[in-house]
């Protein structure tokens, strides 16, 4: 296992992390604990969950896993999150979380899921930062972190505000282009950087042919998708939501014999994404200046799910709602001026896709 320092905290975190959002059967505590212990024995020490994963049951099973790891002397960091933003709300939430997690301190506590900068301003006004600082002073949390779905300059602006020790965000070979600005801020502010959805929410294993460009000879797509993230020196840990022991073992095997690319090689691979993704939005955001105020990259990402992702029941609607906090109606504001289509690097018929989304 490779360990990297989480920003300026001095904490040495495993480059492969354990995400608690995809257990195949979260109520099978014995099996979930067995997976967590096997992960820890394989060198994983970063375990991330959230109150919203399986309606708090992921935190409960993590509590059992942590207790077993303590018994066995296996080290771990506990990471979780809160949507609450008021002092009272955060206090109520963390008290329940500490009980479920069966610990007295949360190592990495995240202000959860900032989907737009207005939302961040509202949470700040509610007193979220004061609440987190108080928890830190009291020793209930150790590090103040943020999780966000923002892209491009917005995520950079958020991270440059210099109030966090680390960030959790989605990043993978599927969306290389959307978060390069986040890396600028991570470098400048020396932040810990944990990435989620390293397999593009399932898109990458479902379409090995599209992602051939990331594979070295003899590598399978999942191994390559993880390794190419590990090639980024800014990334501290890569969270995989393990559903079964088999997937855990596959990810641990990807770590064995991993040889990092040099930066020039990494950039060369990343530059091949556009050519491979014909007709698919890459999130480059060259179109993102719509006079009607439509966040086009987000809507086109949702449309991508229809083309690529079998994991959603309603791919476009679910992605808009759960990932971007948007609705279909917003796509109906398009006046068909054509400005975005002239700018689109992937030559996507954005106007028609928006029409289809709006219904
Ligand atoms: S065509 Fe529609 S989505 Fe594109 S820039 Fe014009 S109004 Fe915005
Ligand atoms: S320009 Fe095209 S590929 Fe780039 S974000 Fe916009 S729709 Fe997607």
């Amino acid at each position: 296992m490779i360990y990297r320092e989480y920003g300026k905290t001095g904490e040495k975190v495993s480059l492969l992390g354990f995400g608690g959002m995809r257990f195949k059967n979260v109520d099978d505590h014995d099996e979930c604990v067995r997976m967590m212990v096997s992960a820890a024995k394989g060198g994983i020490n970063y375990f991330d969950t959230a109150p919203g994963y399986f309606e708090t049951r992921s935190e409960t099973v993590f509590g059992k896993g942590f207790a077993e790891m303590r018994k066995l002397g296996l080290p771990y960091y506990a990471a979780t999150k809160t949507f609450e933003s008021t002092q009272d709300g955060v206090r109520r939430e963390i008290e329940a979380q500490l009980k479920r997690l069966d610990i007295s301190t949360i190592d990495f506590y995240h202000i959860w899921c900032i989907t737009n900068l207005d939302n961040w301003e509202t949470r700040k006004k509610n007193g979220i930062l004061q609440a987190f600082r108080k928890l830190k002073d009291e020793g209930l949390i150790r590090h103040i972190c943020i999780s966000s779905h923002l892209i491009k300059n917005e995520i950079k602006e958020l991270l440059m505000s210099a109030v966090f020790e680390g960030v959790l965000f989605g990043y993978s070979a599927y969306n290389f282009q959307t978060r390069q600005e986040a890396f600028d801020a991570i470098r400048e502010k020396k932040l810990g950087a944990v990435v989620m959805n390293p397999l593009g929410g399932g898109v990458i294993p479902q379409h090995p042919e599209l992602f051939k460009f990331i594979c070295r000879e003899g590598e399978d797509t999942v191994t390559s998708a993880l390794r190419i993230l590990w090639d980024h020196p800014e990334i501290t840990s890569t969270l995989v939501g393990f559903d079964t022991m088999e997937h855990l073992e596959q990810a641990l095997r990807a770590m064995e014999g991993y040889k990092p690319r040099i930066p020039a090689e990494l950039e060369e691979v990343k530059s091949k994404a556009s050519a491979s993704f014909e007709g698919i939005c890459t999130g480059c955001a060259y179109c993102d200046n719509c006079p009607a105020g439509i966040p086009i990259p987000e809507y086109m990402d949702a449309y991508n799910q229809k083309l690529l992702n079998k994991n959603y029941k309603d791919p476009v609607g679910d992605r808009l709602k759960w990932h971007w906090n948007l609705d279909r109606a917003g796509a109906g504001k398009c006046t068909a001026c054509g400005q975005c289509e002239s700018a689109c690097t992937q030559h996507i018929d954005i106007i028609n896709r928006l029409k289809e989304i709006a219904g």
Side-chain angles (χ1 to χ4, degrees):
M1 181 60 64
I2 293 171
Y3 297 87
R4 289 188 182 159
E5 194 165 326
Y6 188 98
K8 293 182 275 190
T9 63
E11 315 283 6
K12 295 270 199 248
V13 167
S14 55
L15 188 48
L16 179 60
F18 191 115
M21 74 296 275
R22 295 206 204 283
F23 288 118
K24 192 166 183 197
N25 181 0
V26 73
D27 298 319
D28 184 346
H29 288 182
D30 289 347
E31 180 59 12
C32 296
V33 168
R34 212 161 67 82
M35 279 170 63
M36 290 178 72
V37 168
S38 296
K41 285 184 175 166
I44 292 176
N45 69 2
Y46 190 92
F47 291 82
D48 175 276
T49 182
Y53 299 163
F54 304 104
E55 294 157 340
T56 72
R57 287 177 294 158
S58 172
E59 286 188 336
T60 301
V61 85
F62 264 44
K64 291 183 186 289
F66 291 151
E68 189 61 22
M69 284 187 243
R70 284 195 295 276
K71 233 190 264 170
L72 297 170
L74 295 164
Y76 61 84
Y77 289 113
T80 190
K81 322 178 180 85
T82 182
F83 263 135
E84 298 288 343
S85 58
T86 61
Q87 301 251 0
D88 287 351
V90 171
R91 174 70 51 171
R92 262 197 314 276
E93 175 105 293
I94 198 166
E95 280 173 4
Q97 287 174 303
L98 290 169
K99 270 195 202 130
R100 285 194 291 269
L101 292 165
D102 193 15
I103 50 179
S104 53
T105 305
I106 292 165
D107 298 298
F108 299 94
Y109 200 41
H110 296 77
I111 298 168
W112 194 9
C113 198
I114 301 292
T115 50
N116 58 60
L117 289 174
D118 290 346
N119 174 264
W120 170 231
E121 287 306 317
T122 306
R123 289 202 223 181
K124 267 199 295 189
K125 274 193 200 116
N126 287 345
I128 184 80
L129 286 170
Q130 291 86 334
F132 267 55
R133 284 183 191 129
K134 194 155 188 291
L135 296 177
K136 192 171 171 177
D137 290 344
E138 291 174 40
L140 298 182
I141 66 171
R142 294 181 59 231
H143 302 295
I144 298 175
C145 311
I146 186 105
S147 94
S148 174
H149 287 169
L150 293 179
I151 59 173
K152 293 280 170 183
N153 283 326
E154 290 200 331
I155 189 161
K156 185 171 180 181
E157 191 181 326
L158 177 74
L159 298 182
M160 290 302 282
S161 60
V163 288
F164 316 110
E165 296 169 81
V167 58
L168 169 65
F169 62 105
Y171 184 66
S172 68
Y174 162 70
N175 68 2
F176 274 150
Q177 297 197 41
T178 57
R179 293 199 171 89
Q180 294 313 306
E181 289 80 354
F183 288 108
D184 296 342
I186 288 162
R187 278 190 294 270
E188 202 169 327
K189 296 291 172 194
K190 295 198 172 41
L191 301 175
V194 177
V195 300
M196 54 186 162
N197 289 330
L199 304 179
V203 166
I204 297 173
Q206 287 173 46
H207 298 277
E209 74 293 350
L210 270 186
F211 291 91
K212 263 197 206 127
F213 73 99
I214 60 169
C215 295
R216 280 171 159 170
E217 214 183 314
E219 275 181 0
D220 63 86
T221 324
V222 168
T223 299
S224 304
L226 292 174
R227 287 180 172 174
I228 199 155
L229 299 184
W230 300 337
D231 289 340
H232 294 63
E234 302 89 348
I235 292 178
T236 322
S237 191
T238 311
L239 289 185
V240 181
F242 299 115
D243 51 358
T244 59
M245 194 67 93
E246 192 193 332
H247 286 147
L248 167 64
E249 284 162 2
Q250 185 182 23
L252 286 170
R253 274 197 305 275
M255 184 56 78
E256 285 166 22
Y258 159 62
K259 290 201 177 51
R261 291 174 172 88
I262 58 167
E265 263 181 277
L266 173 62
E267 289 315 311
E268 197 194 325
V269 176
K270 283 160 76 175
S271 71
K272 292 179 184 157
S274 286
S276 185
F277 295 160
E278 189 66 44
I280 294 166
C281 173
T282 59
C284 68
Y286 287 119
C287 60
D288 199 14
N289 189 22
C290 168
I294 299 170
I296 302 167
E298 286 88 335
Y299 276 97
M300 292 302 104
D301 167 74
Y303 197 92
N304 278 356
Q305 306 307 313
K306 174 186 158 170
L307 302 176
L308 300 173
N309 202 340
K310 297 183 197 112
N311 288 349
Y312 289 111
K313 266 195 211 130
D314 167 16
V316 177
D318 283 357
R319 183 75 167 186
L320 284 175
K321 182 171 173 193
W322 301 114
H323 198 89
W324 298 116
N325 196 20
L326 293 167
D327 58 24
R328 287 175 177 276
K333 290 190 287 181
C334 175
T335 59
C337 72
Q339 180 183 301
C340 56
E341 290 195 355
S342 330
C344 181
T345 51
Q346 300 300 103
H347 312 294
I348 293 171
D349 51 345
I350 298 171
I351 298 172
N352 279 334
R353 287 188 186 184
L354 287 173
K355 220 184 263 173
E356 189 184 327
I357 292 171

